[in-house]
Amino acid sequence: MIDIAAKVHDKFSIEFKVGFLVRRQREQSNFAINTWMFVPNSLDINSRTYDKSHFYRDVKSYIRLITPVFQLKEISQGDAVPLKNLENASHKVAGEPAPAAIKEYESQIKMFTAIFKSAIRNEVVHLLNDQNKDDTEYMVTSYVESIRDILKKFRNLRKIINVSAISSEYFNYYLFADEYISNLVDQRTAYLIGFLQSKRSRRYKKSITLLSSLWREESAYRKKRGYISVDKGNPSKNREFIFRRSILKKYVESDLFLRARKKKEGVFVEQVYYSLAAGLSMIFATAVAFSFQIRYGNFTMPLFIALVVSYMLKDRIKELMRYYFAHRRLNRYFDNKTKIGIKDTTIGWIKEGVDFISEENVPAEVMNLRNRIPLVEAENRITDEKIILYRKQVFLDRAEIVKNSDYPISGINDIMRFHLSRFMQKTDNPEEAIYYLDEEGNSVEIYGQKIYYINILMQLKFEDQVDYKRFRIAFTQAGIMQLEKLA
């Protein structure tokens, strides 16, 4: 199946997190996503002003494995697979710090930290969304106990690897994870406390006390280890905290990111088409030259004129044929193909292509979902919306994924950020003066926002399933205002 989550990433970009989940019953899975972007004509975004290279410069993708799912309780109790894997790798590297053992030790540290990050995030989200207030105290107690147990067990590993055989460089891998885990507990717990305090109810008093106790314990630990903490009166320290958190996040998640090798797709076929275009134009020029030569003979003025005209038309025919063939290949070929892999093993590929298309080439069901209001429909007859079609096909080999991972991996996430700065270049001022009369009859000038909309329709295909998603981006010259999910 295909799972999509969309959000505003910053003032000028949106993010789509697309999860491609493979089925356990199948060794291989194929997915397809067709995305239609309906762009107002007033933005002057069209095939002449915005080509493929502009689009791919505005799109930034990260391809990574979906983090294995564990609950906090599962990490702290029972088999506690992530902790056991890390403990085994720690014992091995402490006994013999060979390159293979060091690589496995670092990999297990990163995987454990990424799994913990996902688990604590899911637990906090569950607490925030839970509608049954009577369960809050139990859930908070479970949260605090699980985290204390995980932190204790993880920090006991320090005794295993803090030995003379382990260099400071390799010991730092553990310290990086310890600092990042501490950041997660510090920030998630403080956020939970704030959420419960905002309810202004005495029933949450015990839960807030429990959470506050955990936060103070972690604060003391951070101070003892020399980790940077948030300080309300120290902006410099807070900048450093955010900077280190960002770097640590990239480090601990790096094992989930897949090797991606992108290359242009359909190069050979493109050259064949272009050769055919050149051949057809040459046939035309040669046919004109032969016919005039037979009729008027060699070295005559009509033949000279015919050769000049045929040479002029030959290049035009060649370009027209190139254009025709380029558009004929749209549905069969893509712009790029990216091979994705774990280490040196290829586990699948992603193909992508983008083009401007006319409304006649948009499926009827997509146009129905677009659902233009009458005013927009009337405007569209005068200045038509421009439509960008972005196609993506994904192939995943589940057998290879399973073979190259110690954990159950459900699929991959394709995190795509689309930057809209180019779309805002020709917009009007973000605010416009408007007027009304107040109760005394005086004319009052106020300012309203000048908003533009881009509608995005997605068609998701997996096996026999077809689903549609609709989003709408509202923005001004100053940046993105809102991203709405409409269907």
Side-chain angles (χ1 to χ4, degrees), residues 194-391:
F195 171 76
L196 295 179
Q197 287 175 338
S198 68
K199 300 295 183 181
R200 301 187 182 281
S201 172
R202 293 182 59 83
R203 71 189 307 164
Y204 298 124
K205 186 177 179 180
K206 186 176 178 181
S207 296
I208 292 171
T209 301
L210 273 172
L211 291 168
S212 298
S213 176
L214 174 65
W215 186 87
R216 290 191 182 92
E217 289 169 16
E218 198 56 29
S219 180
Y221 178 81
R222 294 176 63 77
K223 188 175 181 180
K224 177 183 174 183
R225 293 297 176 199
Y227 299 151
I228 296 172
S229 297
V230 176
D231 186 341
K232 182 181 178 182
N234 193 333
S236 176
K237 205 174 190 180
N238 295 337
R239 283 196 300 268
E240 182 68 14
F241 176 86
I242 293 172
F243 173 78
R244 285 190 64 83
R245 183 176 64 175
S246 176
I247 299 297
L248 289 168
K249 179 177 182 290
K250 290 175 184 175
Y251 172 75
V252 301
E253 292 186 347
S254 60
D255 240 34
L256 292 169
F257 284 92
L258 298 171
R259 171 180 52 79
R261 294 176 181 170
K262 182 182 287 191
K263 66 176 183 178
K264 193 173 180 182
E265 171 75 354
V267 175
F268 174 75
V269 175
E270 181 182 65
Q271 294 307 313
V272 170
Y273 280 154
Y274 287 172
S275 298
L276 286 173
L280 289 171
S281 66
M282 192 62 197
I283 289 170
F284 168 79
T286 305
V288 170
F290 280 0
S291 62
F292 271 76
Q293 191 175 25
I294 291 170
R295 179 162 186 162
Y296 297 105
N298 296 326
F299 309 111
T300 60
M301 184 58 68
L303 176 62
F304 173 76
I305 294 171
L307 288 174
V308 172
V309 172
S310 67
Y311 183 80
M312 292 165 58
L313 293 177
K314 177 175 76 71
D315 284 345
R316 294 305 92 213
I317 291 171
K318 180 179 176 181
E319 289 304 313
L320 285 171
M321 293 307 297
R322 280 167 63 101
Y323 179 81
Y324 171 76
F325 284 136
H327 281 71
R328 286 282 295 176
R329 62 190 281 271
L330 289 184
N331 294 326
R332 295 185 179 182
Y333 301 99
F334 293 79
D335 299 325
N336 303 307
K337 180 178 180 179
T338 303
K339 288 185 178 181
I340 55 178
I342 301 173
K343 300 171 185 175
D344 297 324
T345 303
T346 298
I347 63 166
W349 47 255
I350 297 176
K351 293 181 180 181
E352 58 182 348
V354 65
D355 288 281
F356 280 90
I357 62 170
S358 62
E359 187 173 315
E360 292 73 26
N361 292 323
V362 180
E365 56 266 36
V366 173
M367 290 307 303
N368 290 336
L369 283 170
R370 168 66 185 91
N371 191 27
R372 295 188 183 113
I373 62 173
L375 180 61
V376 172
E377 192 65 59
E379 181 199 23
N380 201 52
R381 290 198 298 269
I382 306 167
T383 57
D384 58 323
E385 281 184 316
K386 297 300 180 285
I387 304 172
I388 299 173
L389 171 60
Y390 177 52
R391 299 173 297 130

Side-chain angles (χ1 to χ4, degrees), residues 429-436 444-450:
N429 288 332
E431 291 187 332
E432 191 173 294
I434 50 179
Y435 304 88
Y436 78 103
V444 179
E445 179 184 87
I446 60 173
Y447 285 85
Q449 292 176 328
K450 174 72 172 179

Side-chain angles (χ1 to χ4, degrees), residues 85-94 97-112 154 157-158 160-162 166-177 251 255:
N85 285 350
L86 178 53
E87 184 178 358
N88 292 336
S90 299
H91 278 296
K92 191 172 181 180
V93 77
I102 292 167
K103 190 174 182 180
E104 177 64 13
Y105 153 75
E106 184 180 18
S107 177
Q108 290 298 339
I109 280 180
K110 290 178 179 179
M111 284 300 292
F112 169 79
F154 174 76
L157 297 178
R158 183 187 184 100
I160 300 173
I161 57 175
N162 191 12
I166 303 294
S167 69
S168 60
E169 178 188 353
Y170 305 140
F171 184 63
N172 278 338
Y173 300 159
Y174 170 85
L175 295 180
F176 294 153
Y251 172 75
D255 240 34

Side-chain angles (χ1 to χ4, degrees), residues 138-184:
Y138 161 76
M139 292 167 66
V140 167
T141 301
S142 175
Y143 169 88
V144 171
E145 288 177 352
S146 296
I147 287 178
R148 280 180 174 149
D149 192 41
I150 293 168
L151 293 178
K152 180 182 177 182
K153 290 175 179 176
F154 174 76
R155 287 164 183 168
N156 281 340
L157 297 178
R158 183 187 184 100
K159 300 170 187 176
I160 300 173
I161 57 175
N162 191 12
V163 293
S164 59
I166 303 294
S167 69
S168 60
E169 178 188 353
Y170 305 140
F171 184 63
N172 278 338
Y173 300 159
Y174 170 85
L175 295 180
F176 294 153
D178 188 42
E179 182 178 356
Y180 186 63
I181 287 170
S182 181
N183 286 350
L184 290 171

